[in-house]
Amino acid sequence: MPSRVACVFLGGLLAASVACPMCARAQAPDEWITMNKDYSSQRYVDLDQITPANVGSLKEVCEVRINDPAVAVFTSGLLMVGRTIYVNTLRATYAIDAASCDLRWRYQIAFKRPEHGVASRGSGYGDGKIFFGTVDGQLIALDAETGKPLWDVENAIGHGENFISAPIAWGGKVFLGIGVSDNGIRGRFMAFDATTGKELWRWYTIPLGNEPGAQSWGNKPSVPPAGGGFWASASLDPMTGEVFAPVANPFPDYLAAVRPGANLYTNSIVSLNISNGKMNWYHQGVPHDQHDWDLGTSPTLYRGRSGKNMLAIAGKDGTVLGIDRDSKELVFRTPGTTRANDGPIGANPVLVCPGTLGGAQWNGTSYNPDTGTLYTGMVDWCWYYGEVPNPADPAHPIPTPVWNFAAPPRGQITAIDGESGDILWQYRAAGPVLAGLVPTKSGLLFAGDVRGNLLALDARTGAVLDRLDAGGALNNGLISYAVDGTQYVAAVVGGVALNTAGVAGPLRVSIFGLHGNDTPKIVRLVPLPRPGSTRAEQAAKEYDGVCADCHGVNAAGGTYPTLERQTQLAGNPEALKAFLAYVPPPMPRLYPGLLSDADVALIAEHLRVLLTPPSAKQEPPAAQQNSPPRP
Ligand code: HEC
């Protein structure tokens, strides 16, 4: 079947090259038209101006300070097209000059429904357009040159649904899947018409009824099959007409007893037919997952050194899968971080590696085709998994993971032979490695960690050739490219991700080059208006955007501890500032840097609402009640 698809597809391509504007402009070799550079997601850069010999003089050239109120999670990837960088927060899309950091345009999203989620992983580029999904389920197309909106469609309307991952655009289509598995959605991957936004096809990640694979899902009618969302962009092979989508975990995440079987097609890499969305084949990385070990990274497509047609994908289970795309066989499964105790969860707590927030997240593998080497960056963090009582159903205690701050998260970068899966070297990073790795033609590997280290490694040995303090966490986007013959490295810096031990810092895109200096140009953007119309709403939005992701919207605890014991911070901005300024890791350093005094004052006000028992709640003083909304 794949060969027939290829013929049909190539016919289309030849015809299209005459008429279709999509094909009018070829991608320049160092442009980033997807989060992972191109459709193969190799993230390899064919540039050699920055070399192992001169990388020591790399310095920051300029940075643009984003300054979106009530936004702390900054986990966008980067695009670079022409001489423009595109970056997203959940509230806006920015176009920035790739050499000077000057703002070209900014597009503020108008939310139409309640937002589910706090992050955007970025945009995709195609045919002069920028495409991105939003946390309230819109898919938006902008003119890449001007930022002018072209179309906007509302797709995700179900409870808990949204778009987090970045779309990819190819051949007049935009490809994107919905999240979030952990909200109990039923995942689907979709193709849209790039000119109109019309949905062309959809593929559900969880088969029901008579659909193939459905028999292996659960047998409890009270628990509808759910999960299988998307955190990462797809990859695509124009020659075979396949789009490769990485499917996330089943739901409920840990209570696996209610969903017997393999839970297809969760935690799988699936090959779908570009034209109609029918599934060609799949490989499931973790069947019947009990640890929240999704495949949340983009797959890398490559030819091994002997010509083998390969796909590699890294998972939260801490392994890299190497699959032969011709035979569909698993060729290797190589660890990229500590692995221990991956068996079923029992009553007694056991230290499992990686834990829920370990392994490969955001970014998976990169590939250097010159040397046949795969690289992967991971989070090295073990958590305890045990059972807690289930008041609703005492016979079935609930398996639950608990973070382990006794050994806080570290990072690991691993170089792997792309055909055998053999480990070539490993580098232990000071903090979680979430940023995408960038191998270059000159034999460098650019990397970063959430401790703010921008690293240049020797791609052959893993030796650190240069380490720069970026002044904030590197939480995702990291690219290299050239403008007017000069090679640059650009990174998304600052803010937080759910991963702890980060150094936060103000949100920015920083550009580095060999001609940088110690006083880089800083472009400060005028802040967007604060979300919320009353002061109380603004306070809630600020708390929700900065603290809720980790401590829960009600401050009753989320991924990290409850704030209920901390009533002294409620309504007391001075105490909150002191706490935030001196709190040691793993809690990130949010003030000063990321948060302004005004932001902290709002958070303290909202903590008063959240942490004061209902009986003791008092009306705020009149002055506060009447203060006008802040710009
Ligand atoms: C990236 C995740 C993250 C974010 C964002 C975050 N925190 Fe934390 N916070 C933590 C972690 C992790 C701890 C636990 C530290 C420990 O146990 O050593 C913590 C601990 C705390 C504690 C101490 C709780 C206790 O009783 O021990 C307070 C208070 C707190 N955070 C307040 C805040 C506030 C207010 C915000 C928003 C301005 C915030 N945090 C944002 C991760 C986060």
Side-chain angles (χ1 to χ4, degrees):
M1 271 310 267
S3 58
R4 200 173 69 85
V5 173
C7 292
V8 171
F9 171 78
L10 275 177
L13 184 72
L14 292 176
S17 65
V18 185
C20 139
M22 206 74 186
C23 316
R25 185 178 173 284
Q27 181 190 2
D30 63 327
E31 285 184 326
W32 291 69
I33 58 168
T34 76
M35 288 296 94
N36 297 304
K37 191 165 188 303
D38 53 30
Y39 304 113
S40 72
S41 301
Q42 294 183 4
R43 301 185 59 86
Y44 170 76
V45 174
D46 193 16
L47 293 172
D48 57 4
Q49 201 175 70
I50 305 175
T51 66
N54 67 21
V55 71
S57 48
L58 195 71
K59 286 202 169 151
E60 190 176 345
V61 175
C62 61
E63 66 185 58
V64 53
R65 297 277 176 100
I66 297 288
N67 204 354
D68 281 7
V71 173
V73 179
F74 196 32
T75 52
S76 174
L78 293 171
L79 300 178
M80 205 300 292
V81 185
R83 50 179 301 148
T84 306
I85 285 178
Y86 301 91
V87 66
N88 298 66
T89 65
L90 86 153
R91 195 157 287 132
T93 300
Y94 297 84
I96 294 153
D97 187 287
S100 72
C101 293
D102 291 332
L103 182 71
R104 289 181 185 274
W105 51 257
R106 169 171 69 182
Y107 175 85
Q108 191 188 347
I109 298 159
F111 291 120
K112 299 178 176 171
R113 282 189 302 270
E115 306 107 76
H116 295 291
V118 289
S120 163
R121 294 281 160 78
S123 302
Y125 173 89
D127 189 25
K129 300 186 187 82
I130 293 294
F131 306 98
F132 56 93
T134 70
V135 290
D136 72 335
Q138 303 173 59
L139 176 63
I140 295 175
L142 306 179
D143 182 306
E145 227 14 75
T146 63
K148 205 171 84 23
L150 300 172
W151 50 257
D152 175 355
V153 291
E154 294 177 44
N155 283 283
I157 48 166
H159 177 70
E161 293 182 354
N162 64 12
F163 289 122
I164 299 237
S165 60
I168 63 169
W170 181 88
K173 294 191 178 81
V174 183
F175 301 92
L176 182 62
I178 62 163
V180 173
S181 303
D182 318 273
N183 291 349
I185 59 136
R186 181 182 177 216
R188 61 177 183 272
F189 191 80
M190 290 166 284
F192 301 89
D193 185 305
T195 311
T196 62
K198 182 174 171 282
E199 185 179 318
L200 301 174
W201 53 253
R202 58 173 61 188
W203 177 78
Y204 282 98
T205 58
I206 296 180
L208 299 177
N210 297 328
E211 294 163 359
Q215 69 282 0
S216 64
W217 191 265
N219 54 8
K220 281 205 170 182
S222 58
V223 184
F230 293 88
W231 288 107
S233 302
S235 304
L236 185 147
D237 185 344
M239 297 306 287
T240 60
E242 291 169 286
V243 58
F244 298 92
V247 186
N249 57 291
F251 178 87
D253 294 24
Y254 309 105
L255 192 55
V258 302
R259 45 175 173 80
N263 306 151
L264 290 173
Y265 294 95
T266 62
N267 295 354
S268 300
I269 178 69
V270 297
S271 157
L272 306 178
N273 183 317
I274 287 177
S275 1
N276 57 21
K278 297 267 181 295
M279 189 173 74
N280 301 310
W281 58 274
Y282 74 96
H283 179 91
Q284 191 177 34
V286 182
H288 191 64
D289 178 20
Q290 305 183 45
H291 296 92
D292 192 13
W293 279 340
D294 16 328
L295 285 180
T297 70
S298 302
T300 302
L301 312 177
Y302 61 98
R303 291 258 168 211
R305 270 174 305 156
S306 72
K308 218 178 223 177
N309 190 15
M310 296 287 295
L311 176 153
I313 184 162
K316 271 175 69 189
D317 70 338
T319 65
V320 176
L321 306 177
I323 299 164
D324 182 328
R325 279 180 52 199
D326 294 323
S327 69
K328 321 287 188 260
E329 297 291 326
L330 183 70
V331 180
F332 60 82
R333 180 173 201 157
T334 301
T337 187
T338 313
R339 300 223 338 128
N341 296 326
D342 61 357
I345 301 170
N348 294 324
V350 172
L351 197 60
V352 177
C353 312
T356 296
L357 287 176
Q361 300 175 45
W362 291 216
N363 286 285
T365 43
S366 303
Y367 185 70
N368 183 334
D370 300 335
T371 61
T373 310
L374 279 171
Y375 301 94
T376 186
M378 293 202 187
V379 182
D380 196 24
W381 197 12
C382 310
W383 284 29
Y384 288 98
Y385 287 68
E387 288 177 341
V388 298
N390 184 355
D393 184 2
H396 294 102
I398 303 171
T400 304
V402 178
W403 61 83
N404 173 29
F405 289 132
R410 301 272 308 262
Q412 185 167 310
I413 298 171
T414 309
I416 299 168
D417 183 285
E419 276 206 358
S420 68
D422 293 344
I423 293 177
L424 305 175
W425 54 256
Q426 290 169 320
Y427 168 78
R428 300 274 295 156
V433 178
L434 301 177
L437 303 176
V438 184
T440 75
K441 189 180 180 184
S442 63
L444 287 170
L445 182 71
F446 288 106
D449 67 29
V450 307
R451 305 289 307 153
N453 296 303
L454 171 63
L455 302 163
L457 306 180
D458 182 322
R460 275 175 307 118
T461 63
V464 177
L465 301 173
D466 194 28
R467 180 198 306 267
L468 266 104
D469 180 359
L474 277 84
N475 282 323
N476 190 352
L478 179 61
I479 64 176
S480 183
Y481 55 89
V483 173
D484 297 336
T486 301
Q487 187 181 355
Y488 295 92
V489 175
V492 160
V493 178
V496 299
L498 253 192
N499 289 81
T500 54
V503 291
L507 310 193
R508 72 196 96 156
V509 175
S510 294
I511 297 179
F512 304 84
L514 295 175
H515 64 289
N517 60 54
D518 292 329
T519 52
K521 171 179 161 187
I522 299 184
V523 177
R524 287 171 211 276
L525 301 187
V526 178
L528 290 176
R530 272 195 188 281
S533 43
T534 64
R535 173 114 182 133
E537 269 174 33
Q538 292 179 352
K541 290 275 184 193
E542 188 67 39
Y543 172 88
D544 286 354
V546 183
C547 316
D549 205 25
C550 291
H551 293 294
V553 277
N554 299 321
T559 308
Y560 299 119
T562 171
L563 302 182
E564 280 157 347
R565 290 187 296 268
Q566 307 292 341
T567 46
Q568 81 286 357
L569 302 176
N572 188 342
E574 292 312 315
L576 183 56
K577 264 193 263 180
F579 171 81
L580 293 174
Y582 295 107
V583 60
M587 161 98 189
R589 185 64 55 84
L590 299 166
Y591 173 89
L594 178 66
L595 300 177
S596 67
D597 284 21
D599 299 333
V600 177
L602 283 166
I603 292 170
E605 278 176 46
H606 193 61
L607 283 178
R608 188 171 45 72
V609 176
L610 296 177
L611 301 181
T612 312
S615 56
K617 248 178 215 168
Q618 287 177 359
E619 286 302 305
Q624 267 183 37
Q625 222 172 19
N626 299 334
S627 59
R630 280 161 190 271

